[in-house]
Amino acid sequence: MRMAIIAICAVVLAAAIVVGIKQASDGTGVAGGPPRALTLAEVSKPIAGAPPDLAALRSRVNVLVDGGDQAFRAQLRALRGHPVVVNLWASSCGPCRYELPVFQHEALARGAQVAFLGVDVTDDRDEALKLAARFPMPYPSFSDPRANISVGRFRSQALPTTAFYDARGRLSIVHQGPFTDQSKLSDAIERYALR
């Protein structure tokens, strides 16, 4: 009889733990973790109210752009007048994969007022394209095979790295490490890009 009561208590405790974890999570299986990854169709939808230059970025959703630092600088110049968030990533970077859904959601939420760009650092192109297929980015990424952008421009020591530009085109801060949830990225955008 005592063993039966212990078994029932163990089952009830296990069920309570499972229910608690499900209620605390946002669908990712990790409480407080990133939102679910979006599909290419979801990240490709037009953003209402976006000015023409930000709407033009949407025409290059999930594109890997060649041209290195020169192409990247030209894109930054074209976006002057808008805050810009630049996410440096690589397919081999676990924390990059973890935070990509955060960037997907935030880029869609702020796409009418903030430009987002990616930089694919020292990556094998095929692997980068596989990652982009798994986590489609609602913005273009610039290929950085020799780390000219990541190290030369941002002095990045590790990935992921995120750079924040204000609307005047001035680099506000370079953040090393992942953004583990959307509210942290949103707070950083408010503090460093929209100031």
Side-chain angles (χ1 to χ4, degrees), residues 4-92:
I5 292 172
I6 291 173
I8 290 171
C9 289
V11 169
V12 168
L13 178 61
I17 290 171
V18 168
V19 168
I21 289 171
K22 281 192 163 283
Q23 288 176 343
S25 91
D26 59 5
T28 64
V30 179
R36 74 170 179 81
L38 299 175
T39 66
L40 182 58
E42 290 171 310
V43 302
S44 298
K45 291 179 182 174
I47 295 176
D53 39 0
L54 295 185
L57 271 183
R58 307 282 300 143
S59 69
R60 298 186 307 159
V61 164
N62 212 36
V63 170
L64 193 55
V65 179
D66 290 322
D69 189 50
Q70 185 175 0
F72 179 75
R73 280 183 295 146
Q75 181 66 75
L76 282 178
R77 279 192 305 276
L79 292 170
R80 188 131 323 138
H82 301 286
V84 180
V85 176
V86 181
N87 181 245
L88 285 68
W89 59 274
S91 63
S92 60

Side-chain angles (χ1 to χ4, degrees), residues 7 38 74 109-110 121 123 144 148 190 194:
L38 299 175
R110 294 192 182 257
V121 182
D123 219 346
D144 189 23
N148 293 331
E190 289 290 333
L194 296 176

Side-chain angles (χ1 to χ4, degrees), residues 69-158:
D69 189 50
Q70 185 175 0
F72 179 75
R73 280 183 295 146
Q75 181 66 75
L76 282 178
R77 279 192 305 276
L79 292 170
R80 188 131 323 138
H82 301 286
V84 180
V85 176
V86 181
N87 181 245
L88 285 68
W89 59 274
S91 63
S92 60
C93 168
C96 299
R97 290 189 302 274
Y98 183 86
E99 78 171 2
L100 277 172
V102 171
F103 277 85
Q104 288 178 318
H105 284 267
E106 194 63 16
L108 291 183
R110 294 192 182 257
Q113 72 179 121
V114 177
F116 286 77
L117 300 173
V119 176
D120 176 34
V121 182
T122 63
D123 219 346
D124 174 79
R125 189 170 187 87
D126 288 339
E127 293 302 314
L129 293 172
K130 284 181 194 173
L131 181 67
R134 185 173 168 202
F135 297 104
M137 292 161 243
Y139 45 82
S141 287
F142 290 79
S143 183
D144 189 23
R146 292 181 195 86
N148 293 331
I149 301 169
S150 62
V151 175
R153 179 171 293 279
F154 299 119
R155 311 247 186 280
S156 176
Q157 301 297 311

